[in-house]
């Protein structure tokens, strides 16, 4: 019937969402999703916020401004101030999750064929968004301390990559690696951005979920230390991981002219994000409920992370390598000598799931890598899940799965 | 700082949203917005639906499926069945307002330079979306009975327009003209779509808002009468005008393969529309509240429309020409011998607003045209607003505003 054109000739959906079909199987333990823990939602606090929001029902029910409800924007400016970032109202745009912020930004900034840098391994929806926008994606490797800024400096100095439009990174508790970029690297990255005139796109959904170690300031907050760098940073944040994804409330902080263009694009994309959930979010933040509730989430994620890491070591010993993260939702691991996609099949047989690492690579993929999320399963499930992983690992080797 | 590229070199925002700055002026009467009447929202019914939805708080707070909450999709399938349209679940996608449906569709189907047909005058956000997607827009005129299908047939037969991807139309109570496409023209249009292999994009936010005359079946429901035509229709609908825009709940009905591609695009765009408001919408529909409440909205809009039309005739007599619509929210008028943009300046002086017609044209604009929305103002405001329009008209002539 219809003739489709690139980039939609033969689209494949998210490799992670493909795994959802197994989630419904009875007894399945999932380390696969990027979902926050449902049992840590502040159900009562959000119900009270919703009741307060509906006292002005028209604000909930009518169209809202494209850039976001003013009362929510004020609360988000205050929240960013507590995070050490000052921003003006015309530098902030409320989005349908931070995912929409990235989409709007790419549409405003990236033309087909433009060079875009991304850390690797990287959040798959970002790789997909770059593909949709027909960007020329160039990857920069990540180690245990975040994106390799020396590698990037050499790459840029070599002239092999010219005029990149932006670099995408999740510098704090990265998805998938859990790594946090050091302060020194952040400063070095800001200097490179000023020198080579590319935007640093700092995606920061997990920054508040720290359960150990010292706070590292966000890249956008460090722009005060590198002259001229504030013009070269776009910062995305979200309530999805710290309050609830069902609100679909994210926000972008960007130079005013970029923000203005994103707002104009958003007029065409959806007119405005849901005012009703924006109003609930504003009431929730105004009440201080986030500050009261967040420590509970971070503490429980810390316990879950520790349980997972301990049990992985206990069950798999030297066969598995990983760096224990200081926050966020993810452990990034390698099981040397195995193809994680093959391991996943045995894992599903054993009623446990994870995401094979290849989902996070645009090129040069590491087949032995995998991502384990500790956020959603309970402590007992985490322990049982690690035991099942061991059985899957043994079954995979017994079946003679070829080494990669 | 940043170098922007087309189509964002010098973007201008929505010409209607530009007028918002005057809305705050004390005593302003606005016929300008496309907002539904706030005082007709079913505040209690929606509060009850919200309470029921939150009984399963996890459904409200967690991520939802990209194509929409299953319980909402079932209700929307039932709603479409009551409107005479059968559709499968894999032919339906829930969107952040129907605006997002159009954006997703254009991204999936339209490459830069592709020919896209649109009725004219047309909804400005559609013209803007086509521009963003760098489509080659070709306009087809609209008269009092909707898009001129004979003109279109001649255009297509002439070979001057080849391989259009789609035709965009609001066939029922159009924005801005208020016109409804006749049943005969709908059938003829379906035959053209099959013959020339283009999609008819039927945008139907207002179809339920009929207050007089006979129901004309939607284009998608008439596909049963033209063989092979169902493959060539995409239908957009929304709760924004019949329940509340603040839910941001729209939906698209499209052939399964197009739907699949739109779902994949939406994974990248925003992962999912707000599950919380989707759950509220599902409860509202399941309860039958829409059927109970909708007649009140339609009846009041009928009274408002009649008040506006009567008062315009009373105040402006032969100077103003318009067709009284049978539903929807808009009266499309011409005031011969005047430039509506100039008239608007005098109107704002007199504390009344409308949208100059030029906002709705991609080419060949009619400067004497204007759009008046009767949905939001009250009956007394409508009468007073028409009186003020007359004063603005007299002031414009007294000031010697040049005829166009």
């Amino acid at each position: 019937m219809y003739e489709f054109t690139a980039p939609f000739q033969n689209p494949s959906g998210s490799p992670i969402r493909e795994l959802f079909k197994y989630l419904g199987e009875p007894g399945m333990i999932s380390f696969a999703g990027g979902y926050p823990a449902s049992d840590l939602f502040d159900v009562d606090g959000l119900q009270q916020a919703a009741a307060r929001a509906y006292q002005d029902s028209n604000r909930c029910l009518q169209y809202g401004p494209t850039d976001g409800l003013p009362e929510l924007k004020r609360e988000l400016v205050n929240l960013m101030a507590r995070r050490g970032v000052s921003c003006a109202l015309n530098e902030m745009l409320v989005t349908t999750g931070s995912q929409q912020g990235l989409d709007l930004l790419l549409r405003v900034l990236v033309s087909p064929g433009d060079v875009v840098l991304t850390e690797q391994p990287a959040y798959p929806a970002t790789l997909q968004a770059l593909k949709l926008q027909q960007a020329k994606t160039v990857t920069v490797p990540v180690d245990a301390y975040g994106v390799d800024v020396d590698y990037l400096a050499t790459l840029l100095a070599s002239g092999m990559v010219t005029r990149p439009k932006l670099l995408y990174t999740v510098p704090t508790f990265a998805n998938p690696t859990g790594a946090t970029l050091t302060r020194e690297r952040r400063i070095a990255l800001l200097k490179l951005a000023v020198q080579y005139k590319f935007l640093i796109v700092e995606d920061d959904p997990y920054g508040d979920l720290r359960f150990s170690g010292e706070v590292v300031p966000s890249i956008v907050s460090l722009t005060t230390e590198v002259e001229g760098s504030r013009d070269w940073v776009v910062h995305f944040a979200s309530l999805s991981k710290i309050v609830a994804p069902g609100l679909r409330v994210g926000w972008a902080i960007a130079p005013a002219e970029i923000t203005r263009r994103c707002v104009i694009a958003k007029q065409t994309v959806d007119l405005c994000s849901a005012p009703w959930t924006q109003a609930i979010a504003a009431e929730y933040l105004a009440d201080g409920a986030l500050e009261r509730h967040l420590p509970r989430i971070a503490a429980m994620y810390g316990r879950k992370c520790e349980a997972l890491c301990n049990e992985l070591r206990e069950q798999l010993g030297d066969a598995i390598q990983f760096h224990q993260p200081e926050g966020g939702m993810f452990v990034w691991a390698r099981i040397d000598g195995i193809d994680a996609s093959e391991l996943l099949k045995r894992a599903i047989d054993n009623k446990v799931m994870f995401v094979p690492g290849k989902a996070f690579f645009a090129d040069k993929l590491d087949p032995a890598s995998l991502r384990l999320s500790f956020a959603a399963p309970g402590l007992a499930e985490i322990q049982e899940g690690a035991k099942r992983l061991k059985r899957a690992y043994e079954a995979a080797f017994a079946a003679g799965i070829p080494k990669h």
Side-chain angles (χ1 to χ4, degrees), chain A:
Chain A
M1 39 149 295
Y2 207 90
E3 181 193 344
F4 293 94
T5 50
F8 270 99
Q9 265 168 8
N10 192 20
S12 57
S14 155
I16 296 179
R17 297 222 145 200
E18 281 298 298
L19 294 174
F20 282 12
K21 58 187 169 200
Y22 300 109
L23 278 182
E25 292 194 10
M28 180 65 76
I29 294 174
S30 175
F31 298 121
Y35 284 26
S38 292
D39 56 358
L40 292 174
F41 289 146
D42 184 6
V43 175
D44 292 342
L46 284 162
Q47 185 168 30
Q48 289 157 21
R52 288 194 301 277
Y54 208 67
Q55 284 169 14
D56 178 358
S57 62
N58 193 53
R59 180 180 59 160
C60 298
L61 300 178
Q62 192 53 277
Y63 287 108
T66 301
D67 61 330
L69 286 190
E71 49 271 50
L72 176 59
K73 289 187 69 174
R74 279 195 300 274
E75 291 301 327
L76 294 175
V77 165
N78 293 340
L79 173 60
M80 291 310 299
R82 292 194 295 275
R83 293 179 182 176
V85 181
S86 74
C87 74
L89 288 170
N90 69 349
E91 295 171 322
M92 177 180 279
L93 166 63
V94 175
T95 54
T96 307
S98 58
Q99 183 74 28
Q100 188 186 45
L102 178 67
D103 183 59
L104 291 171
L105 184 76
L106 294 182
R107 292 180 81 175
V108 164
L109 292 183
V110 177
S111 298
D114 280 351
V115 173
V116 172
L117 303 164
T118 174
E119 63 183 7
Q120 177 168 273
Y123 174 49
T126 297
L127 299 178
Q128 177 77 356
L130 293 174
K131 217 163 123 187
L132 265 188
Q133 202 60 19
Q134 297 172 271
K136 188 171 168 233
T137 300
V138 175
T139 60
V140 182
V142 167
D143 61 26
Y145 307 100
V147 67
D148 186 340
V149 178
D150 283 342
Y151 177 100
L152 176 63
T154 306
L155 185 73
L156 292 167
S158 76
M160 285 173 63
V161 169
T162 52
R163 301 182 61 204
K165 286 254 166 152
L166 56 89
L167 168 82
Y168 173 85
T169 181
V170 182
T172 308
F173 316 134
N175 180 0
T177 69
T180 294
L181 193 69
T182 62
R183 183 189 171 99
E184 293 66 35
R185 287 194 184 180
R186 291 173 194 233
I187 296 287
L189 190 57
L190 284 165
K191 289 179 179 167
L192 287 176
V194 172
Q195 183 183 350
Y196 290 99
K197 297 187 187 299
F198 63 87
L199 278 177
I200 299 168
V201 177
E202 176 180 47
D203 195 359
D204 187 29
Y206 313 109
D208 273 356
L209 297 176
R210 176 176 287 278
F211 40 74
S212 66
E214 293 294 313
V215 170
V216 182
S218 66
I219 294 176
V220 70
S221 74
L222 290 170
T223 53
T224 51
E225 304 199 8
V226 179
E227 200 185 328
S229 64
R230 183 63 185 258
D231 281 349
W232 299 103
V233 176
V234 174
H235 180 92
F236 294 129
S238 170
L239 296 183
S240 292
K241 304 303 193 285
I242 56 176
V243 182
L247 295 165
R248 305 308 297 121
V249 169
W251 62 100
I253 295 167
E257 180 58 20
I258 292 177
T259 303
R260 185 180 80 84
R261 289 167 198 239
C262 287
V263 171
I264 289 171
K266 189 168 161 65
Q267 286 175 357
T268 298
V269 165
D270 64 7
L271 294 173
C272 60
S273 297
W276 199 337
T277 59
Q278 286 187 63
I280 295 169
E283 291 293 340
Y284 189 77
L285 294 173
D287 178 54
L290 176 64
E291 280 68 39
R292 287 197 301 276
H293 190 71
L294 191 56
R296 278 187 53 198
I297 302 179
M300 181 52 85
Y301 281 8
R303 289 179 61 192
K304 289 181 176 194
C305 179
E306 199 172 347
L308 177 62
C309 292
N310 288 347
E311 198 68 28
L312 288 175
R313 286 189 203 100
E314 173 84 15
Q315 296 297 326
L316 290 158
D318 290 343
I320 192 164
Q321 298 96 42
F322 58 87
H323 286 269
Q324 188 160 337
E326 297 184 335
M329 297 170 46
F330 306 112
V331 169
W332 179 246
R334 293 188 86 253
I335 299 183
D336 206 30
I338 209 152
D339 183 318
S341 299
E342 293 297 323
L343 178 63
L344 177 62
K345 292 177 193 164
R346 298 307 185 287
I348 289 171
D349 293 344
N350 282 280
K351 302 279 186 200
V352 63
M353 283 166 63
F354 56 85
V355 183
K358 68 176 184 185
F360 306 93
F361 288 87
D363 54 27
K364 296 172 241 166
L365 63 90
D366 177 6
S369 60
L370 58 153
R371 189 194 75 177
L372 299 153
S373 170
F374 50 79
L379 289 169
E381 279 186 304
I382 286 172
Q383 291 185 318
E384 171 62 21
K387 292 190 177 77
R388 293 180 188 179
L389 268 184
K390 186 189 186 184
R391 289 202 291 277
Y393 171 77
E394 289 170 342
F397 266 94
I401 285 179
K403 295 197 176 194
H404 54 83

